Amino acid sequence: MQLLHIDSAITGAHSVSRQLTAQIVAAYQANHPGTQVSYLDLVASAPAHFTMDAMALRTGQTEGLSEAQKRENAVTEQLVSQFLAADVVVIGAPLYNFSIPSQLKAWIDRIAQPGRTFRYTANGPEGLAKGKTVIIASTRGGVYSTSEGGQAMEHQESYLKVVLGFFGVTDVRFVRAEGVAMGDAAKAAALESAAQAIRSQAAANQAQATQAA
């Protein structure tokens, strides 16, 4: 079992999403001994934002590449291959300005690769990264899930679910901690709710593993 652990929060040791992804990965490893974990810190090793130099691979250009295009293609290939090799992907995705961190968006722009993670057919687009489980640690300073107004403002979980679905990933799970900037009591309650979700998912995973055995 290959697990890809991704963090994208810029706040380092103060990050709630980093705390949650570490807990999710630890719980998964406890229930799946022998899982091989690869770690990607999109702040420490952020791909450049999408440019025309990075676009060459998408257009099928293989001849006459500039040095800049070769470098960007190498970055893209590494990220796409790493994503495709993973059976489980754990993503830390804090809500920044109603959406996801730009570092995480840059990663998505690189793995959105025609012929690798999706393709267009006569019947429309088809995702090629099927069979994966993606667990997203979703953190928010405010509360967005309990009202229509809040749900209309967030483009974090909704975007990730759409783009991962476009890649063919149908098993997308969220571990959410929201209201973490609304005082100590609200933050503690959010963390406990997220911890309960992690324990529940771990129990469900263990039950599935037992049935499969």
Side-chain angles (χ1 to χ4, degrees):
M1 185 73 69
Q2 300 292 323
L3 186 150
L4 175 58
H5 176 185
I6 300 174
D7 280 322
S8 65
I10 63 173
T11 46
H14 301 288
S15 165
V16 175
S17 68
R18 287 175 182 264
Q19 176 182 335
L20 294 182
T21 59
Q23 293 175 3
I24 293 167
V25 171
Y28 199 91
Q29 286 181 293
N31 286 325
H32 300 81
T35 295
Q36 300 296 309
V37 178
S38 299
Y39 181 62
L40 177 59
D41 188 331
L42 290 174
V43 176
S45 301
H49 290 296
F50 206 49
T51 64
M52 285 304 296
D53 285 333
M55 188 72 172
L57 198 62
R58 286 191 172 194
T59 62
Q61 181 181 352
T62 58
E63 301 295 331
L65 296 176
S66 69
E67 290 302 314
Q69 288 174 321
K70 291 176 183 178
R71 287 196 301 271
E72 293 303 324
N73 282 356
V75 171
T76 297
E77 179 59 30
Q78 179 183 2
L79 294 175
V80 172
S81 297
Q82 185 182 47
F83 173 70
L84 290 175
D87 303 294
V88 179
V89 184
V90 177
I91 302 174
L95 178 79
Y96 288 173
N97 300 316
F98 310 114
S99 187
I100 60 175
S102 60
Q103 292 88 345
L104 183 55
K105 177 62 166 59
W107 175 77
I108 290 170
D109 287 340
R110 296 308 185 104
I111 68 167
Q113 185 74 239
R116 305 292 294 283
T117 53
F118 72 94
R119 65 180 178 184
Y120 287 105
T121 73
N123 297 318
E126 176 188 1
L128 301 177
K130 300 172 182 176
K132 299 182 186 299
T133 295
V134 177
I135 306 171
I136 298 169
S138 166
T139 55
R140 302 163 169 182
V143 176
Y144 294 85
S145 66
T146 58
S147 69
E148 289 186 6
Q151 292 165 12
M153 294 170 68
E154 77 86 11
H155 305 282
Q156 168 212 25
E157 292 183 8
S158 54
Y159 169 71
L160 290 170
K161 191 169 184 179
V162 167
V163 73
L164 289 166
F166 186 81
F167 297 156
V169 181
T170 57
D171 186 4
V172 180
R173 311 173 190 181
F174 291 94
V175 172
R176 181 189 301 140
E178 60 180 351
V180 299
M182 298 174 67
D184 292 341
K187 182 176 181 179
L191 290 176
E192 176 55 30
S193 176
Q196 289 179 3
I198 293 170
R199 289 192 293 268
S200 296
Q201 288 196 16
N205 289 335
Q206 183 60 35
Q208 290 177 356
T210 301
Q211 289 177 355

